[in-house]
Every structure is written in C-alpha cells, then in structure tokens.
Amino acid sequence: MAVSTTYWKLAVSLSVFGSICLITVTHGAYTREIVNDKLPLQERPSWLQTCKRSNPNEDKCFRQLFEGCFPALAAGIPEIGVKSFEPLNIDQVSVSKGSGNLVLSGGFQDLVIRGPSNATVRRASLDLERRLLNFELELPRLRIRAKYNLKGNILLLPLVGSGDVAMALKNVHTTVYTRISLRNETRTGDEIIHIDEMKVGFDVGAMRIHLKNLFNGNEILAASINSFLNQNGKEVIAELRPDLELGLADIFHGLWNNVFSKMPTKLWLV
C-alpha cells in the first residue's frame, strides 16, 4: 500500500481508527441486543407511512416510509423506549489485535456520534417472500468524540495512551443487507419484523482524527501519529474494513431490532 509519509507503516493507523467501532465478533454472534420492556405502538403515528403488503416497494413506497422514520428516530420515541439517534451514543467498544505488525488491547468508552439524522436514504427495499430487508444510506458528515485507553506495540514501538479522541468522517456511504423473520410480539401477539442476520458495507470519502495524550503526553510522537492518520485516512479505512463492517453490524443489529420490534406490521403494511 502506498502512503504519503515515511514515518511508520499502516500499523500505526490500525490502532486508532479501531477506536471508533471495532468490536471483536464472529459471524452470526450479536452482542448488542437492547433490552426494552415497552409495548409496541398500537396506533399509527403521523410519521409512519403505509405501504401495500403485497408490494411494499411499489413507487418506492418502502424507501419513502423508511426515510420518513428518521426525524422521529433522531428525536427519540420515548413512549416505545427508542432513544434518540442524534446524537448516537455507544457506551463501549473493545479493541484486540494480536498479529502482524500490531499488538494492541484496550477499549473506548462514551462514544458520541453526531450526524446520523442527516442521512439520505438512497435505496431501501423489503421482500417479505424472500425475507430480505436492505437499505443504502449517505451521510455527508459524522463527528465522533470518545474516551480511549490503548496499550500495545506498533512495529518496534510501544503505544500507550488514554484520553480523548475526536474524529470527523465525510461522505459516508453505507449499505446494509439483512435477512429477516416475521415474529409475534410475546405480549400483544402483533406481527413484527426481526432482523436475524445483518451485513454492513461502507465507504468514507475523507477522515480527520486527533488523539490526545498519546504516549503519556509525549507531544512529538503523538503529533507524528496523528499526522500520519490524517494523511492516510482512506488507506486506514480500507485496511480495517472487514473488522469494522463486523463491528457496525453488531451495533446496528441491536439498534434496528429495537425499532422494528416496536412497529407492528399491521400499522404500516396494509
């Protein structure tokens, strides 16, 4: 991989971008299910459109329905226990890399992500017969702040740091493919959609990042690493994509199941 600096290799960047959403998961193992004892909606709110059950994608109906939910999700829907997506709060992620040029362990806490409510739904489709629900989002900008704590080695150099991390991502394009099932809500008997499997893909146009207090406050080493990351953001993301896509699927699987479990199909598939 060609990079624009002669400092350390890409291993430097792997440790840091993983702070945002890298989670150690295996295919089919979802760890972020949300416990929510609120009852599902029983009346259709004004923001929830309807589509034909026989053909929910006719005239791009499901895409419009899906996008129409975003303002309500951004504000939060407390009556059904759905927290605000703006900002999106993630309590903790773990990082564990132990091969190649990078050996790293640690974690990130209190992630606050601003910008999800500005998503544009480029495509969304629902196939009840094949049990598929897919969508494609574009987000012009995401701003992320969190706490980090990392310890390990990059090439022959130790990496130790804890403190604040700030990141900005521009022109984020996300595709989500899911396999669903139709289930009955245990208390009301209402039919709901449940996401059984999820695969996430993404591309990022540009990235800016800053880690504070790297190397216990050694500003020279910290400045070199932050500079490297900002000069090679797209290469960083490309190298991390497989792990990041698994981590995003783990997070979004729980978030979207929490939403769909509170939206009985009787209210929007007619």
Side-chain angles (χ1 to χ4, degrees), residues 15 28 80 89 163 207 214 223 227 237 244 253:
S15 65
I80 56 173
N89 293 281
M207 176 184 76
L214 275 171
S227 177
I237 294 168
L244 291 172
H253 180 268

Side-chain angles (χ1 to χ4, degrees), residues 39-40 42 183-192 264 266:
L39 289 172
Q42 293 302 304
R183 302 184 179 185
N184 292 325
E185 210 277 339
T186 55
R187 294 163 296 176
T188 65
D190 292 329
E191 181 187 74
I192 57 173
K266 69 181 182 181

Side-chain angles (χ1 to χ4, degrees), residues 1-5 8-11 13-14 228 232-240:
M1 179 195 72
V3 296
S4 57
T5 180
W8 304 294
K9 302 293 184 181
L10 182 63
S13 60
L14 292 177
F228 179 95
N232 299 282
K234 295 190 74 171
E235 289 85 354
V236 171
I237 294 168
E239 286 290 326
L240 280 174

